[in-house]
Amino acid sequence: MPLIRDDLGLSYAEVGIVLAAPGFIGSALDPLIGAAADTARRRAVLLAGGFTFALSAALASASLGFWTLLLALLIGNPASGAFVSLAQATLMDLAPQRREPNMAWWTLAGSFGYVGGPVVVTVALWLGVGWRGALAGLAFVSLGLTLAARRLPYVFHRDGGSLVQNLAGSLRALRRREVLRWLALLEAADLLLDVLFYFLALYLVDVAGWSVVEAALGVAVWTGAGLVGDALLIPVLRFVRGAVYLRLSALGALVCYPFFLVAPGHWPKLVLLVALGLLNSGWYAIPKAGLYGSLPGQAGAAIALGGIMGLVGAAVPLAIGIAAQIAGLGPTMWALLAAPLMLLALTPRR
């Protein structure tokens, strides 16, 4: 993000808009995507999402300023949601009794993308093609993955209702306490997952005083530790319940994150980034599996409700961007400490 911001001349507020607005659009469309997940339209929606995301990445690589970049991301966010969310729903439907370990495997696969992203950008800089070349490459890779997805098995409820009926069923599920609990946990955990990812490089450059290359290394260290943590989570879940792991890791993050913000120098921050990357492993997989488990036979409802809550979560990057513009990014980063506090408060004990 520092490279894109500097190249296109974006302010903190514009960065917040670029990060938040696509999330609003994607979350608003997620209920329709979720309603389609429990019908025979699942395959068509998934493939359409993949092709559209490839187009979005190509458009982003050719961005000329704030508005062109925003347009590309407004297209890409809901497209990515359709492609990824329906693939995830299919995985959950194929083996309902293994939701938690399968979500751990899913998150591990996603971690390769988090780690690979900074590495790809670093290589692109070294080769001289910049962030635009990296996004153009992403467009080609996305196109290939979408073509390959045509061979995947698909599961849907042949006796499922219409889109309107499925949407109504999703809204009725909001009355259930366990559903609301897992939705809240997902949004809380995201503060030290995607939201931290969005602003980490900016924080390291603008607050900690690192160079762009050093910041890319810091992001790579954090995401690399997350990859290791996601790999370790799979055997850990054979012996420790997911809820117990969430509480223990949240307690560890509650200690490590403040030290990361106040630690001087490069090495102390890098060590604490490793600790944070290890600790927040499973913060997506376990609550997401819990949400699917609280909605048996309604994988589409899990997607739809995730989109509804995502409308709230999508405002967080915008709020942080505006707060950073007013009060500075350094003080604003303390707000992310709400993540471990909420995990400790909301994670079920049974």
Side-chain angles (χ1 to χ4, degrees), residues 181-182 185 240-254 279 283 286 340 342-350:
R181 179 199 297 272
W182 291 115
L185 281 169
V240 179
R241 291 190 301 113
V244 173
Y245 173 84
L246 277 182
R247 289 197 299 273
L248 292 176
S249 59
L251 185 61
L254 187 61
L279 287 168
W283 284 19
I286 296 171
M342 293 181 68
L343 261 67
L344 286 170
L346 297 177
T347 300
R349 295 187 176 277
R350 290 185 299 173

Side-chain angles (χ1 to χ4, degrees), residues 21 31 98 117 164 168-169 200 222 239 242 278 291 312 318 340:
R98 287 185 50 82
V164 174
L200 179 58
W222 177 64
F239 306 101
L278 292 172
L291 177 61
V312 178
L318 176 59

Side-chain angles (χ1 to χ4, degrees), residues 111-226:
S111 292
F112 280 102
Y114 271 114
V115 174
V119 172
V120 168
V121 172
T122 302
V123 172
L125 291 173
W126 182 71
L127 293 175
V129 298
W131 62 272
R132 296 180 185 274
L135 285 176
L138 175 62
F140 283 106
V141 172
S142 301
L143 183 61
L145 288 174
T146 304
L147 293 173
R150 293 180 300 173
R151 297 187 176 184
L152 292 176
Y154 291 86
V155 179
F156 58 85
H157 301 285
R158 296 180 182 275
D159 57 347
S162 65
L163 290 178
V164 174
Q165 290 172 328
N166 290 343
L167 281 173
S170 299
L171 293 175
R172 285 194 297 271
L174 282 174
R175 303 172 184 173
R176 291 150 62 177
R177 182 178 178 181
E178 283 303 300
V179 172
L180 291 174
R181 179 199 297 272
W182 291 115
L183 287 170
L185 281 169
L186 280 168
E187 295 304 319
D190 198 50
L191 291 173
L192 281 185
L193 293 172
D194 284 345
V195 176
L196 178 59
F197 181 74
Y198 293 153
F199 288 94
L200 179 58
L202 288 174
Y203 168 82
L204 293 175
V205 172
D206 295 349
V207 179
W210 295 18
S211 69
V212 172
V213 174
E214 290 171 338
L217 174 63
V219 174
V221 166
W222 177 64
T223 54

Side-chain angles (χ1 to χ4, degrees), residues 262-297:
V262 301
H266 288 61
W267 285 108
K269 285 190 181 296
L270 285 175
V271 171
L272 288 165
L273 280 175
V274 170
L276 287 170
L278 292 172
L279 287 168
N280 65 22
S281 301
W283 284 19
Y284 173 77
I286 296 171
K288 193 69 171 184
L291 177 61
Y292 280 109
S294 67
L295 293 163

Side-chain angles (χ1 to χ4, degrees), residues 24-44:
F24 279 114
I25 300 299
S27 296
L29 292 178
D30 272 347
L32 291 177
I33 294 171
D38 292 333
T39 70
R41 299 182 181 90
R42 180 182 293 189
R43 179 191 295 270

